[in-house]
Amino acid sequence: MLRYVLRRLALLVPMAFIISIVVFVAMRMIPVDPGELVLGPWATAEQRELARQKLGLDQSIPVQYLRYVTTAFQGDLGRSIKSGKEVTELIRATVPNSLMLGGTALALAYLIAIPLGVVAAVRQNTLVDQGAMGFALIGISIPNFWLGLLLVLVFAVNLRWLPATGSGTAAHLILPAVTLGLQYTAIVARMTRSSVLEVLRQDFVRTLHAKGLRRGRIIYMHVLKNAVIPVISLLGLHIGGVVGGAVIVETIFAWPGMGALLVNSIIARDYPIVQAVLTLLGVAVLLANLLADVLYAAADRRIKM
Amino acid sequence: MTEAPRKTRMGRRALMKSAALLTGAAALPGPASAQETPVKGGVLRYGLSVEPQRMNQLNTTWMTDATQHIYDRLVTRTPTGEYVPHLATWTTSADGLEWRFKLKPGIKFHSGDPVTSEAVRWWFEQAKDPKGFFGFKGSYSAVDSVAVVDELTTSVKLKQPDPNLPFILYTVYSSIHNPKTYARLGKDAYGVSGVDGTGGFKLKEFTPGDKLVIERNDAYAWAPPFVKNQGPPHLDGIVYRHFADDASRTAAIEAGDMDIIVQPTLADVDRLRANPNFTVISKPMPAARTMYFNTEVAPWNDKRVRQAIAHSIQRKPIIDRLLFGQGVEAYSIVPPTFKDMYLPDTTGYFPYNIAKAKALLAEAGLKDSDGDGFVEFQGKPWEPEMLVIALSEITQLAQVVQAQAARIGIKLKIVQLDGQSISARTLAGDFGILTGFYLWDGPDTIMDWWLYSGNIPATNRSRTRSPEMDKVIEQMRASTTLPERMTHIKAMQKLLHGDLCTIIPIYHPLDIYVISKRVHGYAPNSATLYPRMHDVWLAKA
């Protein structure tokens, strides 16, 4: 297992390079006028050229990339064109916020969704099942931006129980985490239900019943363990997603995370931030997939590393 | 030398008194109650619609509200538009070619260093540095040389008289910095990790994407003469937060998370106005939403076609339906609030008139020969692209313009792009018609940038080439008195909106502030882009 993990980690290095090259070239392909970014639309041709030189954009793309990589290895990812802040500083400030929001939302989602999915499967075609899946359907169907604003309207504006926006306290986390988590809850609950139903129909479950094991023990010790593998696949995807930040939720709740940073930077064409964040996200997705693979093995010993 | 009057009445900038006439807002006393005694303390929470940027005008043109409060300028402007001394008094020579600025004694930077004439000289040198990134260096083009006379006096010699100098010196783009701190931090970090101004507030924390925090400068004793509070601000500090989404910003103040927000959702303005917990102040922005043409591309190079479009625009439905009444119809690039430079005749130049528009198109050879309701160009079906920034407000505006143009037989095709792509295409001349916007309290400068042939293509993106317009602009630049300058500014409007129509104004948007009743003394007015905070205080909860 350890050797497998190390091998996968070593593979991350070339993958990260490939990601960084793709992102870097993509950022150079889109029309960006650095003179306009820095000086506004009234910049003269002379000023635009000065800006290009200052930002090193008068060099060829390979030279620019080499310079970028060299400085990146020294911990310098450049400065934001708009705010002037160092990109590393901005990432350091936003990653914990995104992890906190995403982690809470995922924890909330999985803690609710797995039991919900199991109950729905075990009581298939009952009111409990229909209620649980109806809830899941609503969760998948409601757009984040609408749910977020609705929760703000009810719990912040009318009831005044929770803050509408911002960060800093546990109370600030509740509404964005619920908004973000509901969607994950719905997806995971549906996946758990179908997976549990599939396992319940297998012969070994009948055998366990025949051996006289209690139903609860069969479900939680045997069925769930087998049914959880596809759910782990989802977890890998979801972790990759939350590291990137929940763009819409972060925007609605003015949550200072990576998603909001990325979107604002894309809109502003603040390319030093965009290329650093996108590369980081690519690596994060690779790591999340690695984690999922490790969890697979832990859940099912038959899977060889 | 002649002593400048203590209150130099700069008529052109007396401008914005009429903001009150337009909205009834600027004349309001604001949420402050004059009878109540200000309370010291408290942190004001302020919700912005634009993310705070670096606070160094030498490195960016994108300023943030805090810049107004962190720095001071040599000159300031009263709420009624008069230019008065702030950090310095000034005198001008009889021929208008030398200005002497004398700093008020005892002024200190946040670092504790005294403000001397060296800082003033340094600023002028930076502003006019041809290799610098200062976006407004053109406004300093009349400056020939700057010299320190004594510790508090600076002499500025001009190449030619410039009656517009107090305007540029008043703007936030002429904020005074401590050159020593600037050199110590370096131009990249200055305005980001630290600043050293003389304003009533000091920078405390700047976390892009989260917040910008400024705190009271307890040593402050040089407030502008027209504010009540001449000492340090009442507030302990201000926390600025950016909300990209209008609905979230509006919800934040309704939930009590913010004390002031700017630009709520337009559909909510009337509801918020009726809410006793808030005061809503709106005033016309020194801005205009426009559409303009590439005058180097046929058939937009024919002014009759542009005039036909001008005849097709109905502005009232746009204000009423799209902006929920939160805008002012625009017939000139110059907003009517700039009373001394605005040309009222512009409202009658190209009124909504479908028949006239069609006649103009026919004269230009654009006729509907196949009977499909749309004109052909050079004998072929014609569907010109209209570039718009992919923002809902702009797209909706484009759709209305598209529908209105269809009434005269022009079938516009809306192409949504991001701002940078549009900029790239306009610079390359790869466009026919597009929507434009400016926000700047010097519309005369905007017209210079947008219409002078020497500014093609960087700022004159319609590629207007008119010898008459060039002549008027050169006359405006060479004006030695304000009345003379005003005459030329009005002539520019007459030529542009009464004949050339290379740019068609549509509306002037409003600055809208929603203010909690807890806030006192906050009174935005049209004479400054960023409302002052000297008299603002918070009632105890």
Side-chain angles (χ1 to χ4, degrees):
Chain A
M1 169 83 87
L2 183 63
R3 188 185 294 171
Y4 172 79
V5 172
L6 289 174
R7 199 170 67 236
R8 287 286 299 268
L9 283 173
L11 272 175
L12 276 181
V13 177
M15 290 297 287
F17 265 109
I18 291 169
I19 291 169
S20 73
I21 290 170
V22 170
V23 168
F24 193 88
V25 172
M27 289 309 297
R28 295 303 185 280
M29 301 286 279
I30 56 175
V32 173
D33 183 341
E36 184 151 328
L37 288 179
V38 177
L39 298 162
W42 39 80
T44 62
E46 186 189 17
Q47 287 175 318
R48 286 167 197 276
E49 189 49 40
L50 276 173
R52 283 178 60 78
Q53 287 171 14
K54 185 194 169 189
L55 296 167
L57 298 176
D58 54 335
Q59 306 288 321
S60 66
I61 289 180
V63 171
Q64 289 180 43
Y65 178 73
L66 278 178
R67 186 182 294 174
Y68 171 67
V69 170
T70 310
T71 53
F73 271 115
Q74 294 161 359
D76 178 7
L77 294 169
R79 280 180 183 272
S80 157
I81 290 176
K82 285 284 181 183
S83 72
K85 285 272 184 185
E86 287 180 5
V87 174
T88 44
E89 190 183 339
L90 292 170
I91 289 175
R92 260 203 308 272
T94 50
V95 165
N97 291 330
S98 282
L99 289 177
M100 190 191 298
L101 174 58
T104 309
L106 281 186
L108 207 63
Y110 278 77
L111 285 175
I112 294 170
I114 292 177
L116 198 68
V118 171
V119 170
V122 170
R123 303 198 177 184
Q124 190 189 7
N125 297 330
T126 65
L127 271 178
V128 175
D129 178 25
Q130 285 161 4
M133 288 306 102
F135 168 75
L137 187 67
I138 290 169
I140 291 170
S141 309
I142 293 180
N144 270 345
F145 65 88
W146 189 81
L147 178 67
L149 288 173
L150 192 73
L151 292 178
V152 165
L153 199 65
V154 174
F155 294 102
V157 175
N158 288 323
L159 297 173
R160 297 251 174 163
W161 289 353
L162 294 165
T165 55
S167 62
T169 67
H172 284 98
L173 189 58
I174 295 174
L175 291 182
V178 169
T179 306
L180 185 61
L182 185 67
Q183 202 167 24
Y184 292 127
T185 307
I187 295 167
V188 175
R190 287 182 70 86
M191 176 63 83
T192 306
R193 177 183 178 273
S194 61
S195 186
V196 168
L197 278 176
E198 199 178 316
V199 176
L200 278 174
R201 290 182 192 120
Q202 290 185 13
D203 293 344
F204 81 91
V205 177
R206 201 181 311 124
T207 307
L208 291 170
H209 279 293
K211 284 169 77 175
L213 258 69
R214 280 187 291 115
R215 184 177 170 80
R217 189 175 169 83
I218 295 170
I219 299 294
Y220 288 100
M221 295 300 291
H222 298 278
V223 174
L224 189 55
K225 199 171 176 184
N226 283 279
V228 84
I229 291 174
V231 178
I232 290 173
S233 304
L234 273 183
L235 181 65
L237 289 173
H238 288 164
I239 290 174
V242 297
V243 172
V247 173
I248 293 170
V249 173
E250 286 182 5
T251 304
I252 290 171
F253 292 97
W255 183 267
M258 285 255 282
L261 177 69
L262 179 62
V263 166
N264 288 335
S265 304
I266 289 171
I267 291 169
R269 286 288 197 271
D270 204 336
Y271 66 87
I273 298 179
V274 177
Q275 64 198 21
V277 172
L278 284 179
T279 307
L280 188 67
L281 290 184
V283 174
V285 170
L286 293 176
L287 283 172
N289 282 323
L290 172 61
L291 178 67
D293 286 348
V294 172
L295 288 176
Y296 271 152
D300 186 348
R301 295 286 168 85
R302 290 169 302 177
I303 296 173
K304 298 287 180 201
M305 285 285 146
Chain B
M1 292 279 176
T2 53
E3 182 73 29
R6 175 76 180 162
K7 288 191 174 184
T8 310
R9 172 104 172 82
M10 304 306 265
R12 71 171 282 218
R13 314 286 178 193
L15 48 113
M16 305 205 174
K17 284 183 280 187
S18 58
L21 298 177
L22 281 167
T23 65
L28 290 172
S33 170
Q35 284 74 40
E36 293 183 64
T37 309
V39 177
K40 196 168 184 176
V43 174
L44 182 80
R45 300 161 303 166
Y46 199 109
L48 296 168
S49 59
V50 178
E51 192 167 13
Q53 309 290 344
R54 67 174 86 202
M55 288 151 282
N56 171 13
Q57 76 268 27
L58 289 171
N59 241 350
T60 181
T61 52
W62 308 108
M63 288 287 112
T64 188
D65 288 52
T67 321
Q68 173 79 31
H69 315 307
I70 289 171
Y71 302 107
D72 289 320
R73 275 60 51 184
L74 298 176
V75 177
T76 188
R77 187 158 77 183
T78 69
T80 50
E82 297 153 335
Y83 290 94
V84 294
H86 190 181
L87 293 183
T89 56
W90 68 89
T91 57
T92 53
S93 62
D95 60 6
L97 291 175
E98 184 182 3
W99 293 57
R100 284 198 171 196
F101 293 94
K102 181 159 190 175
L103 290 163
K104 296 174 187 172
I107 299 173
K108 288 185 175 174
F109 289 110
H110 296 156
S111 59
D113 289 347
V115 180
T116 66
S117 49
E118 176 53 29
V120 178
R121 187 199 65 77
W122 179 87
W123 163 248
F124 274 93
E125 295 293 352
Q126 297 297 314
K128 69 189 194 73
D129 177 8
K131 289 187 177 172
F133 266 18
F134 183 48
F136 290 86
K137 71 174 76 169
S139 299
Y140 281 79
S141 59
V143 176
D144 186 27
S145 63
V146 189
V148 168
V149 176
D150 59 38
E151 197 178 331
L152 297 179
T153 312
T154 314
S155 164
V156 178
K157 290 191 174 161
L158 306 181
K159 296 168 197 161
Q160 69 270 343
D162 183 4
N164 205 36
L165 191 60
F167 167 69
I168 189 67
L169 292 181
Y170 129 84
T171 71
V172 73
Y173 296 98
S174 293
S175 298
I176 298 297
H177 308 262
N178 185 349
K180 287 182 192 165
T181 310
Y182 199 96
R184 182 169 57 78
L185 292 176
K187 65 181 186 324
D188 287 333
Y190 188 86
V192 180
S193 55
V195 299
D196 199 4
T198 60
F201 290 90
K202 301 188 279 188
L203 178 64
K204 186 179 179 188
E205 182 188 343
F206 177 33
T207 313
D210 187 9
K211 62 189 170 190
L212 169 62
V213 185
I214 57 176
E215 61 184 356
R216 180 175 52 235
N217 173 11
D218 285 313
Y220 196 68
W222 43 88
F226 49 84
V227 301
K228 288 182 199 157
N229 174 23
Q230 289 291 307
H234 300 305
L235 297 170
D236 288 339
I238 304 171
V239 176
Y240 292 97
R241 284 190 188 275
H242 167 236
F243 298 82
D245 181 46
D246 291 351
S248 300
R249 203 178 314 118
T250 307
I253 194 163
E254 290 197 271
D257 291 357
M258 290 286 120
D259 299 311
I260 297 175
I261 63 159
V262 296
Q263 307 309 101
T265 36
L266 294 179
D268 287 322
V269 171
D270 288 340
R271 184 176 60 79
L272 292 166
R273 218 182 277 280
N275 187 329
N277 296 321
F278 305 118
T279 301
V280 177
I281 294 180
S282 55
K283 65 180 181 65
M285 276 186 203
R289 179 73 64 193
T290 64
M291 53 193 293
Y292 61 95
F293 307 90
N294 182 351
T295 56
E296 290 180 349
V297 171
W300 304 119
N301 57 352
D302 187 330
K303 73 178 174 187
R304 290 169 299 188
V305 181
R306 304 193 298 264
Q307 288 171 347
I309 291 278
H311 270 308
S312 77
I313 302 293
Q314 261 188 312
R315 294 165 175 82
K316 194 168 184 311
I318 293 171
I319 306 289
D320 291 346
R321 304 290 168 82
L322 289 189
L323 305 180
F324 297 91
Q326 307 302 322
V328 176
E329 293 175 38
Y331 295 90
S332 166
I333 286 180
V334 179
T337 40
F338 288 74
K339 256 188 147 180
D340 292 350
M341 65 172 78
Y342 173 65
L343 182 66
D345 295 354
T346 49
T347 53
Y349 283 157
F350 287 98
Y352 176 66
N353 190 324
I354 298 292
K356 269 193 175 178
K358 285 184 172 176
L360 282 165
L361 289 179
E363 272 179 43
L366 297 175
K367 290 176 186 168
D368 175 18
S369 308
D370 58 11
D372 69 349
F374 295 103
V375 297
E376 287 88 50
F377 174 55
Q378 294 175 337
K380 293 175 188 166
W382 182 49
E383 193 176 359
E385 286 185 346
M386 176 164 59
L387 306 187
V388 297
I389 293 179
L391 294 172
S392 63
E393 179 192 333
I394 313 301
T395 306
Q396 286 171 10
L397 171 65
Q399 286 165 347
V400 175
V401 169
Q402 183 187 42
Q404 294 184 348
R407 290 180 198 156
I408 62 168
I410 291 181
K411 190 178 188 179
L412 293 173
K413 180 183 176 185
I414 296 172
V415 177
Q416 296 186 61
L417 294 170
D418 64 282
Q420 280 290 316
S421 299
I422 286 185
S423 185
R425 284 187 61 173
T426 52
L427 271 177
D430 179 19
F431 76 104
I433 181 170
L434 61 82
T435 56
F437 182 74
Y438 84 84
L439 170 61
W440 179 232
D441 57 358
D444 46 346
T445 314
I446 295 292
M447 285 198 288
D448 185 333
W449 285 340
W450 282 8
L451 298 167
Y452 189 64
S453 65
N455 293 334
I456 297 172
T459 56
N460 179 353
R461 299 203 179 182
S462 65
R463 293 157 188 258
T464 300
R465 288 179 201 272
S466 159
E468 297 95 325
M469 182 60 83
D470 282 354
K471 188 177 167 191
V472 181
I473 290 173
E474 282 160 10
Q475 286 171 334
M476 177 194 74
R477 290 176 184 171
S479 301
T480 54
T481 66
L482 279 171
E484 186 189 347
R485 187 176 169 92
M486 295 307 132
T487 305
H488 298 311
I489 293 169
K490 287 178 180 171
M492 287 159 69
Q493 293 167 75
K494 187 175 178 184
L495 189 55
L496 173 63
H497 303 306
D499 184 46
L500 298 176
C501 288
T502 54
I503 300 170
I504 299 174
I506 300 174
Y507 64 83
H508 303 295
L510 299 184
D511 266 324
I512 304 167
Y513 303 84
V514 184
I515 305 154
S516 154
K517 288 291 184 193
R518 183 174 170 244
V519 181
H520 296 252
Y522 187 70
N525 64 69
S526 293
T528 181
L529 276 177
Y530 306 104
R532 299 181 187 283
M533 292 292 179
H534 299 82
D535 292 321
V536 176
W537 56 278
L538 292 172
K540 295 283 182 198

